[in-house]
Amino acid sequence: VAYAQDNVSAKTLAGYRQIAGAWKASLGGVELRKLQPSQIQAALSEMRTTGLAQRTVLHRFRVLKLALGHARDWRMVGVNQADSVKPPRPETPEMRTLSPVEAAALVEALEGQWAQMVRFTLETGMRLGEVLGLKWSDVSFEPAYVQVQRSLGYLPKRGRYFKEPKTPKARRRIALSAATAAMLRELRKGQIELRSDLGAEWNSLDLVFPTPMGDPQQVNNASSTFGRLARAAGFAGLRFHDLRHTSASLLLAAGTNVKVVSERLGHA
């Protein structure tokens, strides 16, 4: 945690603190210099028996290995004992993509801002946090494009907050089709009318996809809401992030160069 405070984002630091607490519960009574690989291996096995997802256990192990690496660099221990531990095998994440017909059917089944958000994401391939952090000042209509400048995050003790894009490559310009630009114009017009009706009650943060009162949406809530809407539309198990995969798939199927697709998605 001492290293992480100055080198990672607030969200990552919060995650590290949580993981440190989990390791403290497992190995907190063991003196650092006396820690053995067998004890780490046993703790990992115990985590698996409690029903934790393999991905979660692997992430905890990687954080412990990173921490022990810093302990070695700082001469607190002679070796990184985690180097001798066999970690859990990583799970291959299941990626789902929609066909053009399915994508159109999903948009058709949704209403209002959700239909607009999904349609926008299918075209741009932006991450959910990037979509929710987009401001009208990032939108150009002539020429039609959006500039990814920030992402919306959430931490329990901090609440909703804006943060820098995930990587330098994530700060990017994405061209828009004429149809999507027209959709955004209509969305903007509706927001102006709503802002006029609400007056001082409207939180004027200039967001493209805010709550009905102009506030930032909460990323986790938006993600779970999308899951419910997708299930009701006949797409059970579809995640918002799968729209990003779908966007890439549709671009590649249309013959777009792989490098162009990578840059559009903001891959590192």
Side-chain angles (χ1 to χ4, degrees):
V1 172
Y3 164 83
Q5 284 177 334
D6 298 322
N7 292 278
V8 301
S9 69
K11 182 178 180 180
T12 300
L13 178 59
Y16 282 176
R17 290 187 186 279
Q18 185 179 32
I19 291 171
W23 280 113
K24 185 177 181 179
S26 299
L27 301 172
V30 181
E31 186 179 340
L32 182 60
R33 290 184 179 276
K34 295 181 179 180
L35 180 64
Q36 297 297 314
S38 60
Q39 293 171 306
I40 300 174
Q41 197 79 62
L44 290 172
S45 298
E46 177 64 23
M47 290 177 188
R48 289 293 288 134
T49 63
T50 62
L52 277 178
Q54 190 163 308
R55 179 180 178 183
T56 301
V57 177
L58 178 59
H59 184 51
R60 286 185 178 182
F61 171 75
R62 287 171 173 166
V63 173
L64 176 67
K65 186 174 182 179
L66 179 65
L68 291 175
H70 288 301
R72 178 198 58 212
D73 295 342
W74 294 345
R75 306 293 190 268
M76 298 172 70
V77 293
V79 296
N80 185 339
Q81 296 289 12
D83 286 339
S84 301
V85 175
K86 185 177 181 180
R89 295 180 63 181
E91 296 172 326
T92 303
E94 182 180 351
M95 294 195 302
R96 180 176 178 183
T97 60
L98 303 177
S99 69
V101 172
E102 289 175 322
L106 175 61
V107 174
E108 182 67 25
L110 300 175
E111 297 179 350
Q113 183 169 281
W114 270 107
Q116 295 161 330
M117 276 180 59
V118 169
R119 178 177 168 183
F120 176 80
T121 305
L122 285 169
E123 176 166 328
T124 64
M126 288 167 60
R127 301 173 177 90
L128 177 57
E130 294 171 341
V131 172
L132 298 183
L134 188 70
K135 296 189 176 185
W136 288 111
S137 57
D138 305 320
V139 179
S140 169
F141 290 107
E142 294 181 6
Y145 66 83
V146 292
Q147 188 77 35
V148 180
Q149 310 254 43
R150 73 196 65 76
S151 183
L152 181 66
Y154 174 81
L155 289 172
K157 293 184 179 180
R158 184 175 177 181
R160 292 159 289 189
Y161 67 100
F162 295 109
K163 58 183 180 179
E164 290 293 308
K166 191 173 182 180
T167 65
K169 291 282 188 180
R171 190 183 290 274
R172 61 203 187 277
R173 177 180 293 189
I174 302 174
L176 300 176
S177 66
T180 296
M183 180 198 74
L184 289 179
R185 285 185 186 275
E186 287 301 310
L187 176 61
R188 178 65 169 157
K189 179 181 177 182
Q191 277 190 17
I192 292 173
E193 293 173 353
L194 179 61
R195 184 176 63 190
S196 177
D197 292 339
L198 292 175
E201 295 181 19
W202 174 266
N203 189 1
S204 187
L205 293 178
D206 196 40
L207 293 170
V208 176
F209 298 106
T211 69
M213 302 301 291
D215 297 304
Q217 296 193 52
Q218 186 173 316
V219 178
N220 290 348
N221 288 350
S223 180
S224 59
T225 298
F226 173 77
R228 291 195 300 271
L229 293 173
R231 183 168 58 251
F235 296 92
L238 186 70
R239 306 165 303 166
F240 195 91
H241 198 71
D242 292 326
L243 303 180
R244 181 169 161 84
H245 299 153
T246 297
S247 179
S249 178
L250 295 177
L251 286 170
L252 292 171
T256 307
N257 182 276
V258 173
K259 185 174 185 297
V260 174
V261 175
S262 177
E263 292 173 349
R264 188 175 177 88
L265 296 181
H267 283 164

